[in-house]
Structure formats: C-alpha cells, structure tokens
Amino acid sequence: MDEKKETGAKDKNKNDWLIFELKDPTEYQGQPITTLDLTKLRNMNGGELNVVYDLYNNMGGTGTIMQESTLLFAQVIASRVTGYPLEAINKISARDSVTLKGRIYRFFFLSV
C-alpha cells in the first residue's frame, strides 16, 4: 500500500508544471543539473520575496515595474527555491532560461 502512495506522489510531481526537465542539461562544479523544481514557490512568503527583490535590485535589476517578467528576476527566484547558486542557474541554456522565465511569470501572474 505504501508503494502505491509513493508511486502516486511521483506521478503527481511528474505532472507539476513547476517541475521541468532541462532540454539542455548543464553541469555546475561537477554536479549535473537536469531538472528544475520550482514547487517551493508555493511556500514562499513575503519576507523571502523581499529578499529576492533586494537582491534583484542590487544586481542591477531595472525599476520596480514588472520586474517579475525579467530573466534576472526569474534566475534569482530559481536560485532561492531550488537551492542552486545563482552561478549555476546562469549556466542554464538560453532556451531553458526562457522556459524558466515563463514558468516564474506564470506563477505570479497567470496561475489560478
């Protein structure tokens, strides 16, 4: 019975739009990065988001209008929720980076 529950949880995670396989896996300090799991976004609170906004601004983020739609903001968020350092997130291919940006934008503005 426990095996069925575990399989069901894996299937549920497999279909979660905040988890995606990189089309172009990369490596950072010998560690392969093949998947980004952004599900911790759902548990992020306002204080953590303020930290992200501050970091974004300190890194040269532009203005305060729609910063959630920028690649830099998506990369900072991804670093925060995945645990990968920002340097690792920056190594992700351009194609996968655009997918990442779209998923972050969708989370904040389009998800129900």
Side-chain angles (χ1 to χ4, degrees):
M1 185 122 179
D2 287 335
E3 190 174 310
K4 287 182 181 180
K5 285 182 183 178
E6 188 175 310
T7 302
K10 286 180 184 178
D11 289 342
K12 183 179 177 185
N13 283 343
K14 190 173 185 178
N15 295 326
D16 193 324
W17 64 273
L18 286 174
I19 301 172
F20 67 100
E21 297 287 326
L22 299 178
K23 294 198 185 308
D24 303 309
T26 190
E27 189 176 292
Y28 179 75
Q29 294 184 345
Q31 179 183 2
I33 302 173
T34 59
T35 304
L36 290 182
D37 181 348
L38 306 173
T39 56
K40 289 184 181 177
L41 270 169
R42 294 184 179 115
N43 301 321
M44 184 176 271
N45 63 39
E48 292 170 311
L49 192 55
N50 281 329
V51 170
V52 169
Y53 285 133
D54 289 344
L55 182 56
Y56 170 80
N57 287 330
N58 290 337
M59 294 182 69
T62 56
T64 57
I65 298 174
M66 295 297 290
Q67 65 266 36
E68 298 87 358
S69 66
T70 67
L71 178 57
L72 178 59
F73 184 85
Q75 290 168 324
V76 173
I77 286 279
S79 174
R80 180 98 179 160
V81 300
T82 64
Y84 290 121
L86 193 54
E87 295 80 15
I89 300 296
N90 285 336
K91 290 183 60 94
I92 293 170
S93 73
R95 176 170 58 172
D96 287 323
S97 292
V98 170
T99 300
L100 169 66
K101 183 175 88 165
R103 303 269 173 125
I104 299 294
Y105 181 87
R106 177 181 172 191
F107 176 80
F108 284 109
F109 294 107
L110 301 176
S111 61
V112 182

PDB file of all heavy atoms in Angstrom, residues 66-90:
ATOM      1  N   MET A  66       7.029  45.556 -13.056  1.00  0.00           N
ATOM      2  CA  MET A  66       7.076  44.272 -13.755  1.00  0.00           C
ATOM      3  C   MET A  66       8.449  43.593 -13.730  1.00  0.00           C
ATOM      4  O   MET A  66       8.836  42.910 -14.672  1.00  0.00           O
ATOM      5  CB  MET A  66       6.604  44.428 -15.212  1.00  0.00           C
ATOM      6  CG  MET A  66       5.146  44.815 -15.344  1.00  0.00           C
ATOM      7  SD  MET A  66       4.018  43.572 -14.692  1.00  0.00           S
ATOM      8  CE  MET A  66       4.213  42.278 -15.880  1.00  0.00           C
ATOM      9  N   GLN A  67       9.178  43.758 -12.642  1.00  0.00           N
ATOM     10  CA  GLN A  67      10.456  43.056 -12.551  1.00  0.00           C
ATOM     11  C   GLN A  67      10.266  41.544 -12.586  1.00  0.00           C
ATOM     12  O   GLN A  67      11.165  40.809 -12.970  1.00  0.00           O
ATOM     13  CB  GLN A  67      11.260  43.488 -11.314  1.00  0.00           C
ATOM     14  CG  GLN A  67      10.639  43.137  -9.989  1.00  0.00           C
ATOM     15  CD  GLN A  67       9.796  44.250  -9.420  1.00  0.00           C
ATOM     16  OE1 GLN A  67       9.127  44.972 -10.141  1.00  0.00           O
ATOM     17  NE2 GLN A  67       9.809  44.398  -8.123  1.00  0.00           N
ATOM     18  N   GLU A  68       9.062  41.079 -12.243  1.00  0.00           N
ATOM     19  CA  GLU A  68       8.786  39.640 -12.262  1.00  0.00           C
ATOM     20  C   GLU A  68       8.825  39.055 -13.674  1.00  0.00           C
ATOM     21  O   GLU A  68       8.859  37.849 -13.838  1.00  0.00           O
ATOM     22  CB  GLU A  68       7.412  39.347 -11.633  1.00  0.00           C
ATOM     23  CG  GLU A  68       7.303  39.750 -10.190  1.00  0.00           C
ATOM     24  CD  GLU A  68       6.892  41.204  -9.987  1.00  0.00           C
ATOM     25  OE1 GLU A  68       6.722  41.940 -10.980  1.00  0.00           O
ATOM     26  OE2 GLU A  68       6.747  41.604  -8.827  1.00  0.00           O
ATOM     27  N   SER A  69       8.818  39.915 -14.666  1.00  0.00           N
ATOM     28  CA  SER A  69       8.843  39.426 -16.048  1.00  0.00           C
ATOM     29  C   SER A  69      10.260  39.373 -16.631  1.00  0.00           C
ATOM     30  O   SER A  69      10.426  38.998 -17.785  1.00  0.00           O
ATOM     31  CB  SER A  69       7.952  40.302 -16.935  1.00  0.00           C
ATOM     32  OG  SER A  69       8.480  41.601 -17.026  1.00  0.00           O
ATOM     33  N   THR A  70      11.273  39.709 -15.843  1.00  0.00           N
ATOM     34  CA  THR A  70      12.638  39.720 -16.368  1.00  0.00           C
ATOM     35  C   THR A  70      13.344  38.391 -16.103  1.00  0.00           C
ATOM     36  O   THR A  70      13.021  37.674 -15.151  1.00  0.00           O
ATOM     37  CB  THR A  70      13.478  40.854 -15.752  1.00  0.00           C
ATOM     38  OG1 THR A  70      13.679  40.589 -14.362  1.00  0.00           O
ATOM     39  CG2 THR A  70      12.810  42.208 -15.945  1.00  0.00           C
ATOM     40  N   LEU A  71      14.323  38.108 -16.932  1.00  0.00           N
ATOM     41  CA  LEU A  71      15.106  36.889 -16.766  1.00  0.00           C
ATOM     42  C   LEU A  71      15.893  36.929 -15.462  1.00  0.00           C
ATOM     43  O   LEU A  71      15.945  35.933 -14.738  1.00  0.00           O
ATOM     44  CB  LEU A  71      16.049  36.686 -17.958  1.00  0.00           C
ATOM     45  CG  LEU A  71      16.952  35.461 -17.884  1.00  0.00           C
ATOM     46  CD1 LEU A  71      16.149  34.181 -17.722  1.00  0.00           C
ATOM     47  CD2 LEU A  71      17.847  35.393 -19.099  1.00  0.00           C
ATOM     48  N   LEU A  72      16.490  38.058 -15.134  1.00  0.00           N
ATOM     49  CA  LEU A  72      17.270  38.158 -13.904  1.00  0.00           C
ATOM     50  C   LEU A  72      16.410  37.834 -12.683  1.00  0.00           C
ATOM     51  O   LEU A  72      16.828  37.091 -11.797  1.00  0.00           O
ATOM     52  CB  LEU A  72      17.900  39.550 -13.761  1.00  0.00           C
ATOM     53  CG  LEU A  72      18.693  39.794 -12.481  1.00  0.00           C
ATOM     54  CD1 LEU A  72      19.841  38.797 -12.341  1.00  0.00           C
ATOM     55  CD2 LEU A  72      19.217  41.228 -12.446  1.00  0.00           C
ATOM     56  N   PHE A  73      15.203  38.367 -12.636  1.00  0.00           N
ATOM     57  CA  PHE A  73      14.305  38.073 -11.514  1.00  0.00           C
ATOM     58  C   PHE A  73      14.020  36.575 -11.453  1.00  0.00           C
ATOM     59  O   PHE A  73      14.065  35.963 -10.379  1.00  0.00           O
ATOM     60  CB  PHE A  73      13.005  38.869 -11.654  1.00  0.00           C
ATOM     61  CG  PHE A  73      12.082  38.691 -10.483  1.00  0.00           C
ATOM     62  CD1 PHE A  73      12.225  39.463  -9.348  1.00  0.00           C
ATOM     63  CD2 PHE A  73      11.069  37.750 -10.527  1.00  0.00           C
ATOM     64  CE1 PHE A  73      11.378  39.291  -8.253  1.00  0.00           C
ATOM     65  CE2 PHE A  73      10.215  37.574  -9.449  1.00  0.00           C
ATOM     66  CZ  PHE A  73      10.374  38.352  -8.309  1.00  0.00           C
ATOM     67  N   ALA A  74      13.734  35.964 -12.594  1.00  0.00           N
ATOM     68  CA  ALA A  74      13.453  34.523 -12.637  1.00  0.00           C
ATOM     69  C   ALA A  74      14.655  33.722 -12.155  1.00  0.00           C
ATOM     70  O   ALA A  74      14.501  32.729 -11.430  1.00  0.00           O
ATOM     71  CB  ALA A  74      13.060  34.106 -14.056  1.00  0.00           C
ATOM     72  N   GLN A  75      15.849  34.152 -12.531  1.00  0.00           N
ATOM     73  CA  GLN A  75      17.049  33.441 -12.110  1.00  0.00           C
ATOM     74  C   GLN A  75      17.267  33.561 -10.600  1.00  0.00           C
ATOM     75  O   GLN A  75      17.642  32.589  -9.946  1.00  0.00           O
ATOM     76  CB  GLN A  75      18.265  33.975 -12.872  1.00  0.00           C
ATOM     77  CG  GLN A  75      18.240  33.598 -14.332  1.00  0.00           C
ATOM     78  CD  GLN A  75      19.271  34.355 -15.154  1.00  0.00           C
ATOM     79  OE1 GLN A  75      19.545  35.526 -14.899  1.00  0.00           O
ATOM     80  NE2 GLN A  75      19.828  33.689 -16.153  1.00  0.00           N
ATOM     81  N   VAL A  76      17.021  34.740 -10.051  1.00  0.00           N
ATOM     82  CA  VAL A  76      17.173  34.930  -8.607  1.00  0.00           C
ATOM     83  C   VAL A  76      16.153  34.074  -7.854  1.00  0.00           C
ATOM     84  O   VAL A  76      16.478  33.401  -6.877  1.00  0.00           O
ATOM     85  CB  VAL A  76      17.054  36.427  -8.230  1.00  0.00           C
ATOM     86  CG1 VAL A  76      17.035  36.621  -6.719  1.00  0.00           C
ATOM     87  CG2 VAL A  76      18.203  37.222  -8.845  1.00  0.00           C
ATOM     88  N   ILE A  77      14.907  34.082  -8.316  1.00  0.00           N
ATOM     89  CA  ILE A  77      13.867  33.244  -7.701  1.00  0.00           C
ATOM     90  C   ILE A  77      14.254  31.772  -7.796  1.00  0.00           C
ATOM     91  O   ILE A  77      14.162  31.026  -6.812  1.00  0.00           O
ATOM     92  CB  ILE A  77      12.500  33.475  -8.382  1.00  0.00           C
ATOM     93  CG1 ILE A  77      11.903  34.812  -7.972  1.00  0.00           C
ATOM     94  CG2 ILE A  77      11.526  32.342  -8.085  1.00  0.00           C
ATOM     95  CD1 ILE A  77      11.207  34.830  -6.629  1.00  0.00           C
ATOM     96  N   ALA A  78      14.690  31.330  -8.962  1.00  0.00           N
ATOM     97  CA  ALA A  78      15.043  29.919  -9.150  1.00  0.00           C
ATOM     98  C   ALA A  78      16.178  29.520  -8.221  1.00  0.00           C
ATOM     99  O   ALA A  78      16.145  28.431  -7.632  1.00  0.00           O
ATOM    100  CB  ALA A  78      15.427  29.660 -10.606  1.00  0.00           C
ATOM    101  N   SER A  79      17.151  30.366  -8.067  1.00  0.00           N
ATOM    102  CA  SER A  79      18.254  30.079  -7.161  1.00  0.00           C
ATOM    103  C   SER A  79      17.730  29.910  -5.739  1.00  0.00           C
ATOM    104  O   SER A  79      18.104  28.974  -5.022  1.00  0.00           O
ATOM    105  CB  SER A  79      19.288  31.196  -7.220  1.00  0.00           C
ATOM    106  OG  SER A  79      20.289  31.003  -6.252  1.00  0.00           O
ATOM    107  N   ARG A  80      16.849  30.788  -5.351  1.00  0.00           N
ATOM    108  CA  ARG A  80      16.298  30.767  -3.986  1.00  0.00           C
ATOM    109  C   ARG A  80      15.484  29.488  -3.722  1.00  0.00           C
ATOM    110  O   ARG A  80      15.621  28.879  -2.677  1.00  0.00           O
ATOM    111  CB  ARG A  80      15.415  31.998  -3.796  1.00  0.00           C
ATOM    112  CG  ARG A  80      14.792  32.122  -2.456  1.00  0.00           C
ATOM    113  CD  ARG A  80      15.585  33.049  -1.600  1.00  0.00           C
ATOM    114  NE  ARG A  80      14.951  33.190  -0.307  1.00  0.00           N
ATOM    115  CZ  ARG A  80      15.581  33.606   0.748  1.00  0.00           C
ATOM    116  NH1 ARG A  80      16.840  33.933   0.658  1.00  0.00           N
ATOM    117  NH2 ARG A  80      14.973  33.714   1.899  1.00  0.00           N
ATOM    118  N   VAL A  81      14.642  29.091  -4.665  1.00  0.00           N
ATOM    119  CA  VAL A  81      13.741  27.962  -4.399  1.00  0.00           C
ATOM    120  C   VAL A  81      14.339  26.594  -4.729  1.00  0.00           C
ATOM    121  O   VAL A  81      13.884  25.589  -4.198  1.00  0.00           O
ATOM    122  CB  VAL A  81      12.359  28.126  -5.090  1.00  0.00           C
ATOM    123  CG1 VAL A  81      11.663  29.377  -4.597  1.00  0.00           C
ATOM    124  CG2 VAL A  81      12.465  28.096  -6.583  1.00  0.00           C
ATOM    125  N   THR A  82      15.345  26.553  -5.604  1.00  0.00           N
ATOM    126  CA  THR A  82      15.951  25.258  -5.935  1.00  0.00           C
ATOM    127  C   THR A  82      17.157  24.931  -5.061  1.00  0.00           C
ATOM    128  O   THR A  82      17.536  23.772  -4.951  1.00  0.00           O
ATOM    129  CB  THR A  82      16.421  25.201  -7.406  1.00  0.00           C
ATOM    130  OG1 THR A  82      17.461  26.159  -7.601  1.00  0.00           O
ATOM    131  CG2 THR A  82      15.277  25.422  -8.365  1.00  0.00           C
ATOM    132  N   GLY A  83      17.766  25.968  -4.498  1.00  0.00           N
ATOM    133  CA  GLY A  83      18.972  25.756  -3.705  1.00  0.00           C
ATOM    134  C   GLY A  83      20.244  25.788  -4.526  1.00  0.00           C
ATOM    135  O   GLY A  83      21.342  25.751  -3.980  1.00  0.00           O
ATOM    136  N   TYR A  84      20.123  25.876  -5.846  1.00  0.00           N
ATOM    137  CA  TYR A  84      21.312  26.017  -6.683  1.00  0.00           C
ATOM    138  C   TYR A  84      21.832  27.447  -6.566  1.00  0.00           C
ATOM    139  O   TYR A  84      21.039  28.391  -6.534  1.00  0.00           O
ATOM    140  CB  TYR A  84      20.997  25.747  -8.162  1.00  0.00           C
ATOM    141  CG  TYR A  84      20.694  24.311  -8.497  1.00  0.00           C
ATOM    142  CD1 TYR A  84      19.475  23.954  -9.057  1.00  0.00           C
ATOM    143  CD2 TYR A  84      21.631  23.313  -8.278  1.00  0.00           C
ATOM    144  CE1 TYR A  84      19.194  22.636  -9.380  1.00  0.00           C
ATOM    145  CE2 TYR A  84      21.358  21.994  -8.597  1.00  0.00           C
ATOM    146  CZ  TYR A  84      20.142  21.666  -9.146  1.00  0.00           C
ATOM    147  OH  TYR A  84      19.868  20.364  -9.461  1.00  0.00           O
ATOM    148  N   PRO A  85      23.152  27.633  -6.546  1.00  0.00           N
ATOM    149  CA  PRO A  85      23.670  29.004  -6.519  1.00  0.00           C
ATOM    150  C   PRO A  85      23.328  29.722  -7.828  1.00  0.00           C
ATOM    151  O   PRO A  85      23.120  29.088  -8.873  1.00  0.00           O
ATOM    152  CB  PRO A  85      25.177  28.833  -6.353  1.00  0.00           C
ATOM    153  CG  PRO A  85      25.473  27.418  -6.687  1.00  0.00           C
ATOM    154  CD  PRO A  85      24.209  26.631  -6.538  1.00  0.00           C
ATOM    155  N   LEU A  86      23.265  31.035  -7.763  1.00  0.00           N
ATOM    156  CA  LEU A  86      22.929  31.829  -8.941  1.00  0.00           C
ATOM    157  C   LEU A  86      23.884  31.539 -10.097  1.00  0.00           C
ATOM    158  O   LEU A  86      23.472  31.529 -11.260  1.00  0.00           O
ATOM    159  CB  LEU A  86      22.929  33.316  -8.585  1.00  0.00           C
ATOM    160  CG  LEU A  86      22.325  34.267  -9.587  1.00  0.00           C
ATOM    161  CD1 LEU A  86      20.899  33.877  -9.972  1.00  0.00           C
ATOM    162  CD2 LEU A  86      22.338  35.688  -9.034  1.00  0.00           C
ATOM    163  N   GLU A  87      25.133  31.269  -9.790  1.00  0.00           N
ATOM    164  CA  GLU A  87      26.116  30.951 -10.838  1.00  0.00           C
ATOM    165  C   GLU A  87      25.701  29.697 -11.609  1.00  0.00           C
ATOM    166  O   GLU A  87      25.915  29.605 -12.812  1.00  0.00           O
ATOM    167  CB  GLU A  87      27.513  30.753 -10.239  1.00  0.00           C
ATOM    168  CG  GLU A  87      28.099  31.994  -9.613  1.00  0.00           C
ATOM    169  CD  GLU A  87      27.580  32.283  -8.199  1.00  0.00           C
ATOM    170  OE1 GLU A  87      26.965  31.392  -7.563  1.00  0.00           O
ATOM    171  OE2 GLU A  87      27.773  33.419  -7.743  1.00  0.00           O
ATOM    172  N   ALA A  88      25.105  28.738 -10.919  1.00  0.00           N
ATOM    173  CA  ALA A  88      24.641  27.509 -11.585  1.00  0.00           C
ATOM    174  C   ALA A  88      23.431  27.806 -12.455  1.00  0.00           C
ATOM    175  O   ALA A  88      23.336  27.325 -13.591  1.00  0.00           O
ATOM    176  CB  ALA A  88      24.306  26.444 -10.545  1.00  0.00           C
ATOM    177  N   ILE A  89      22.498  28.589 -11.948  1.00  0.00           N
ATOM    178  CA  ILE A  89      21.306  28.954 -12.723  1.00  0.00           C
ATOM    179  C   ILE A  89      21.705  29.716 -13.980  1.00  0.00           C
ATOM    180  O   ILE A  89      21.115  29.527 -15.047  1.00  0.00           O
ATOM    181  CB  ILE A  89      20.325  29.776 -11.859  1.00  0.00           C
ATOM    182  CG1 ILE A  89      19.857  28.986 -10.631  1.00  0.00           C
ATOM    183  CG2 ILE A  89      19.148  30.276 -12.687  1.00  0.00           C
ATOM    184  CD1 ILE A  89      19.052  27.741 -10.921  1.00  0.00           C
ATOM    185  N   ASN A  90      22.727  30.555 -13.881  1.00  0.00           N
ATOM    186  CA  ASN A  90      23.186  31.328 -15.037  1.00  0.00           C
ATOM    187  C   ASN A  90      23.801  30.454 -16.122  1.00  0.00           C
ATOM    188  O   ASN A  90      23.920  30.880 -17.267  1.00  0.00           O
ATOM    189  CB  ASN A  90      24.190  32.400 -14.610  1.00  0.00           C
ATOM    190  CG  ASN A  90      23.531  33.568 -13.917  1.00  0.00           C
ATOM    191  OD1 ASN A  90      22.353  33.838 -14.114  1.00  0.00           O
ATOM    192  ND2 ASN A  90      24.281  34.258 -13.086  1.00  0.00           N
TER     193      ASN A  90
END
